[in-house]
Amino acid sequence: MKSNSEIIEFDHLVVGSGLAGLMSALKLAEAGGSVALLTKRQINEGSTPHAQGGIACVTDSLDTFDEHVKDTLDAGAGLCREDVVRCIVEAGPEAVADLIRRGVHFTTRGEMGKTGDQNEPDLGREGGHHKRRVLHSGDITGAEIERALVAACQANKNITIYEHHMAIDVIVTARLGLPGANRCLGLYALDIPNGVVKSFRGLSTTIACGGVGKVYLYTSNPDVACGGGVAMCYRAGAKIANMEFIQFHPTILYHPQMRSFLISEAVRGEGAVLKIRNKKGELVEFMDKYHPMKSLAPRDVVARAIDNEMKRSGEECVFLDITHQSEEALRLRFPNIFEKCLEIGVNMAKDPIPVVPAEHYSCGGVKTDVNGATNIAGLYAVGETACTGLHGANRLASNSLLEALVCANFSAKHIREHLDELRKNQFDGFVPPWHCGNAVNSDEQVVIAHNWDEIRRFMWDYVGIFRTNRRLERAKARIVLIRKEIEKYYWDFLVTPDLIELRNIATVAELIIDSSLARRESRGLHYNSDYPDTDPALAEVDTLLSRKL
Ligand code: SIN
């Protein structure tokens, strides 16, 4: 492994090419700054293109900010920050209008053959929402947003895109033994095709690396979601909040060849009902036993209900039944999902869809304010990597694209307004070269693959939808062993993408386990049967972890 002594300088560094990263880069570049946008694969391989549902935003005259705030707070189970929720919800309409000006197309009522103003957006509904307020582009909303923003970034002369560059660590003064409060100077990144570690410097570094799905065996997330953003920020001394709140999406397609394809909650929004096969072989509804909103209850309730029904009955999956709708209507509203189901022989208009829960979203992350600012000067986190206080203990459906969009805008503005401060304490551009080993040992490659599989399996079995103290303690004992193994050989071996990702998923797994052990109650997405009740004294109390440097 070579370490390039050259230092690559930009005004701003942005890591991640989903909605949060692309919008951060655009806003910083449009204000005149030079921006390096780093992404570990091709630019459009993040989580955003997989987002189906849409953006929750108050655009209908019959809807109000208060109602969107209330639905968010109710889903968040006492852990949302109301000021943050209100701020993001109220900034939504302007941020969405900006997306539309940039060429993002949202499906209109006219396109759906509905009555009323034909140019108004068609609004979908999802779990926990009492109103239709989700703007969507068919059932590929994220892909449509990604298309428009990638094109805008590629056309912007102030943005240099580094594809196949995997961030390894952010560079902070505390880890270099430099005086003063901890501040971020830039980052090290592996140029994967050339096998070189490069040093990047910037006045600001924005981490928008998305989620942590690959920490679990089953997830709706793409392969890139290894929690790199949270792990890097933690190692740099950033505060990490509420990692016990991992959202399991209730309806991932159940099929051996397709274990991560999402069946959008919008399908339930259009009337699909969850059912399970009983002993007589009939499909019967069950959500009425769990929540007054039945199949449209908030996600934590639905995922736990499905888990419970599957364990109780021994069934391998449940079913989502929307067969009351015509094939024509389903093809119009859910063209992508319809085709994917057909590929495995399921015609949504005739057959109930087999589904199971899987990891979907991390409500916790790097603790930030609504501007994405962390406790480290110059280091920002936006999107799923961050924990602003919007989602609390359970994210309301389709609030994540809203948060990524609004907070990217806020964070770029905050950076622009604080440039004078960010220019201070730059230590004359000092950055030590990356220290790395050169050894290649095929045995160690086996260990990496083994550890990777082991983490994902025990996180699924012990730190999943249903937790107990004993399961969490078992998981803790295993992750400590794996962490020690990684620490022992990390510095001596060639830094490969697999090793970087293993280090990151191990760090994130331990953060999830430690946060779960620390919360001695059940709330929102975190259910521990040893503490089955919600403790009112812990409302608004975040679980905070940070590393002493
Ligand atoms: C979905 O379409 O069900 C996912 C939407 C979300 O996670 O917010």
Side-chain angles (χ1 to χ4, degrees), residues 486-499:
I486 295 170
E487 279 165 9
K488 211 161 130 195
Y489 65 73
Y490 188 81
W491 293 96
D492 294 331
F493 286 90
L494 194 67
V495 180
T496 61
D498 282 351
L499 185 50

Side-chain angles (χ1 to χ4, degrees), residues 52-53 126 249 262-266 299 360 395 397-400:
Q52 296 179 352
E126 293 178 36
H249 196 291
L262 185 71
I263 305 296
S264 175
E265 212 160 271
R299 244 175 232 181
H360 182 60
R395 177 178 64 97
S398 287
N399 264 356
S400 45

Side-chain angles (χ1 to χ4, degrees), residues 64-76 82 85-86 89 128 130 133 396:
T64 62
F65 290 141
D66 283 347
E67 286 168 284
H68 189 177
V69 168
K70 182 169 184 331
D71 285 346
T72 302
L73 296 178
D74 287 349
E82 188 166 349
V85 175
R86 187 161 291 282
V89 162
H130 284 85
R133 62 168 73 96
L396 184 68

Side-chain angles (χ1 to χ4, degrees), residues 516-538:
S516 303
L517 281 165
R519 185 166 288 277
R520 296 177 176 210
E521 63 162 350
S522 290
R523 178 183 295 278
L525 298 159
H526 172 70
Y527 182 79
N528 181 339
S529 68
D530 288 308
Y531 310 107
D533 299 325
T534 300
D535 179 353
L538 294 179

